[in-house]
Amino acid sequence: MSRIRFEWEVEADTIDQPDGEDPQLKRNRRRNLRRLLLLTALLVAAILLGGLALHLRLVQVQNEIAQQLTDTIKVEVAALRIGDRSTFLQIQSGDESWLAAQSTLFERYQTLKAANAIELSGDILSVTIEGERARALVREDVNGLPYARLSFYVRADRIWRHTALDFTFWGERQRSEAGRVVVNYRDADATFARQLGADLANWFNAQCAATACDDGGKLQIDIVPDLEEPLLWMDAGAGQLMLRSPYLDRVRADKPFDSEQAASLYKLINDNWDFGL
């Protein structure tokens, strides 16, 4: 009688082991799966931590390079401030004509300083670094007014040095539009381009408020760093005009599109382009 198993007992065993698999094998498989998942999680965490460490290191290196550039600019400005020609020229990098031009520039600063006409704070208004080259806009107060000078630098042997204007590093092409004015420019001219577009749009509005204007075409202005002439029509009939970047020289930091340049531009437009007045 003890060997007789009733039907319901056999069914109960089948319910307890629906697949008939050895419980120990099942436990081993689950343990191995948990180990695999844990190893995968550890591997992913290691990769993420390694990527984060690499990113932080790159950020640290970039910050160090930027700080080296800032320090170089500060030393250069300090050399101008105290009249240290030797230190100033050591920071320059270029051929003999560049060094001669910088030597002449040094003398101009000393003349302005002697007349108490310039204050060299060394404030850096903007910096752009791309690989081993950089450009920086540095403030200079002349006769109590804020000016800025755009300077370019190259890095070699972990040392930054001041070099000649680099027209290939004027930045990406940009476009802005205000009213009937379209301005095409590069990043280095962004502040000038925005003020130019806004002021010129206001000037158009004032002209049209006094005399009814038609819905003439837009004036398109290209700001070019290496233009020989300050202002140049590409196509007066189509309203296409070229302007030279003001950052080839010292420029007002607060309003680079100054009143003298505005007067010349407005006259040129009036004399050569029928904008619907």
Side-chain angles (χ1 to χ4, degrees), residues 174-203:
Q174 306 292 344
R175 174 188 173 95
S176 67
E177 187 168 345
R180 297 177 61 179
V181 182
V182 176
V183 183
N184 300 307
Y185 62 96
R186 294 183 181 271
D187 292 333
D189 289 306
T191 302
F192 172 66
R194 285 192 294 266
Q195 187 200 343
L196 168 68
D199 287 3
L200 193 51
N202 291 334
W203 180 77

Side-chain angles (χ1 to χ4, degrees), residues 7 92-93 97 103 111 149 157 167 195 231 234 251 254:
E7 184 178 350
Q92 312 306 311
S93 175
S97 63
S103 180
T111 300
R149 184 181 291 277
D157 300 326
F167 296 141
Q195 187 200 343
L231 303 170
M234 291 185 292
V251 64
D254 52 345

Side-chain angles (χ1 to χ4, degrees), residues 122-141:
D123 293 340
I124 301 174
L125 303 179
S126 68
V127 170
T128 301
I129 299 176
E130 184 181 279
E132 300 299 304
R133 58 183 183 174
R135 64 176 183 268
L137 203 58
V138 183
R139 176 169 172 167
E140 303 173 352
D141 289 354

